[in-house]
Amino acid sequence: MNHAALETIAQDLVGGGRGILAIDESTPTCGKRLADVGVDNTDDNRRDYRALLLGAAGLSESVSGAILYDETIRTADAGGTPFPQVMTDNGMIPGIKVDTGAKDLAGHPGEKITEGLDGLRERLAEYYEMGARFAKWRAVITIGDGIPSDGCYEGNAHALARYAALCQEAGIVPIVEPEVLYDGEHDIDRCFDVTCETLTRLFAHLRSQRVHLPGLILKASMVLDAKDCPQTSDVATVAEYTLRCLKNTVPATVSGIAFLSGGQSDVLATEHLNEINRQADDHTPWPITFSYARALQGPALKHWAGKPENVAEAQRLLVHRAAMNSAAARGEYRADQDQAA
C-alpha cells in the first residue's frame, strides 16, 4: 500500500473547490431517470447520456472525478473511446461504485445492510487495471421508531471499514458513504444524534481495520429535518448542526468531506454547501465539497431529453451547476449567479 499515492489522489479529488460527480446509478435506476424525461432505457441512450456528462468541455474546472457504475466503466462512447479514457482526456479521475446494493437486514425490520464484500479484492484489481483510482460504497441508515438499531450501526460500519481496507490494499482511494436517509418525520435534533452515532461507529471500525485516514474521503449526509417533518430548519441552522456534528466525530486526518445531496433540490443543495463553508473557520481541518448526482445532473438531463440537438446546451447547464457548487465549496456562491445563467 502506497500511502503517499493514496493521499495525493484523495487531495486531488476534494481540493481546490472541486467536487465529485456521481453517475453510478444502476441500470434500473438510470432507466427511471431517463423515463422521467421520456427517454427509453436502452444501451445506446444510457451510453449517450453518460457521454454527454463525462465529455462536457470545462467540467474539470469544477469536477475532479466521477463515480461510475460497472456498466459505464466497461463501455465506450459512440466513437469507441472507453469512458475512463474520456474522463482522463477531460481532466477527471475515474471512480467506481463497488457495493452491490442495500438489502434487508435479517432480524431487523425496516433496516438495510449493504452487500458486496465477496470477491471484492479481485474486482478492485480489475477496476484498477481499467483506470479506476477511487471507489464508493454506500450504506443506508433509516431513522424511525426504535431504529437505527445497534445491529444496523455495527453491521454497516464494519462493512464500510472492510471495503475501505481492501480499496487501499489495491491502490484505490475509498469513499465511505454512510447515508442517513431524510425519509420520515424526525426533526433536525434527531438527525443530529443519529448522524453523530453513525460517524462515531464508522471511524471506530475504520481504525480497527487499520484504514489510512489521510487516504480516505467521507461522503456525508447533511444534518436536516426529515422530508415530512412539520418544521424546516433554515440554511444557517442546517450548516451549524452539520458542522458541529462533523467536528464532534470526524478525525482531523481524514482527507476531505464530500456531501451527498440526498434528494435536495439542486439550488438548495448548493445553498447548504455554501453556508457550511461560510461558517467553517480556520480550525476546520478538512476541505468540504460536494459529491452530487441529481443535484448536478438534473437540469442537464431535463434539457437533453434524448435529443442530439440539445447536447451542447445540456452540457452548458451541467458545467454551470458544477461551477455553482464549486463556488459553494469555497463559500463564495451567490444566488444572483444562478439567476443570470
Side-chain angles (χ1 to χ4, degrees), residues 258-275:
F259 283 112
L260 58 94
S261 56
Q264 299 177 69
S265 71
D266 49 1
V267 172
L268 185 58
T270 305
E271 291 174 343
H272 280 144
L273 176 64
N274 185 65
E275 184 62 22

Side-chain angles (χ1 to χ4, degrees), residues 21-37:
L21 171 63
I23 59 167
D24 56 332
E25 299 91 349
S26 66
T27 299
T29 300
C30 188
K32 293 176 184 177
R33 304 276 185 271
L34 293 175
D36 287 342
V37 295

Side-chain angles (χ1 to χ4, degrees), residues 49-293:
Y49 177 54
R50 288 157 175 165
L52 179 160
L53 299 172
L54 297 175
L59 184 61
S60 63
E61 295 177 13
S62 304
V63 170
S64 55
I67 308 165
L68 308 179
Y69 182 59
D70 181 80
E71 176 187 63
T72 312
I73 202 170
R74 300 179 188 278
T75 304
D77 66 13
T81 304
F83 278 127
Q85 187 63 49
V86 171
M87 292 182 63
T88 302
D89 292 346
N90 202 16
M92 295 181 289
I93 302 170
I96 182 69
K97 172 189 173 180
V98 299
D99 69 74
T100 57
K103 310 295 173 60
D104 291 342
L105 179 58
H108 295 73
E111 298 190 285
K112 301 288 186 180
I113 185 73
T114 300
E115 298 182 349
L117 289 172
D118 289 349
L120 182 56
R121 176 179 276 119
E122 293 75 21
R123 289 192 290 124
L124 287 168
E126 180 186 18
Y127 287 139
Y128 187 92
E129 291 301 315
M130 298 171 76
R133 292 298 177 267
F134 70 101
K136 190 201 81 169
W137 179 290
R138 173 179 176 258
V140 175
I141 307 296
T142 303
I143 300 176
D145 186 15
I147 60 173
S149 66
D150 186 72
C152 181
Y153 280 130
E154 288 293 300
N156 280 294
H158 181 68
L160 279 163
R162 288 188 60 201
Y163 140 81
L166 286 165
C167 280
Q168 291 188 339
E169 177 187 84
I172 289 175
V173 170
I175 294 179
V176 291
E177 181 184 5
E179 180 176 0
V180 178
L181 297 180
Y182 301 141
D183 300 326
E185 299 180 352
H186 57 271
D187 63 13
I188 194 170
D189 289 293
R190 175 77 169 130
C191 183
F192 177 86
D193 291 342
V194 170
T195 306
C196 285
E197 186 66 21
T198 298
L199 294 177
T200 297
R201 305 267 192 134
L202 170 62
F203 283 101
H205 279 272
L206 289 167
R207 285 189 290 269
S208 175
Q209 295 298 319
R210 300 180 179 176
V211 173
H212 182 61
L213 297 184
L216 170 143
I217 295 167
L218 171 65
K219 183 165 179 175
S221 305
M222 296 178 191
V223 179
L224 301 169
D225 301 292
K227 294 175 183 176
D228 297 325
C229 181
Q231 69 187 45
T232 301
S233 299
D234 61 29
V235 170
T237 301
V238 168
E240 188 273 323
Y241 270 73
T242 301
L243 273 174
R244 181 155 50 92
C245 173
L246 296 175
K247 289 182 177 180
N248 286 350
T249 59
V250 180
T253 52
V254 168
S255 66
I257 296 169
F259 283 112
L260 58 94
S261 56
Q264 299 177 69
S265 71
D266 49 1
V267 172
L268 185 58
T270 305
E271 291 174 343
H272 280 144
L273 176 64
N274 185 65
E275 184 62 22
I276 290 167
N277 277 290
R278 286 187 67 254
Q279 290 189 22
D281 54 29
D282 293 339
H283 300 292
T284 303
W286 346 263
I288 298 174
T289 188
F290 58 94
S291 178
Y292 294 163

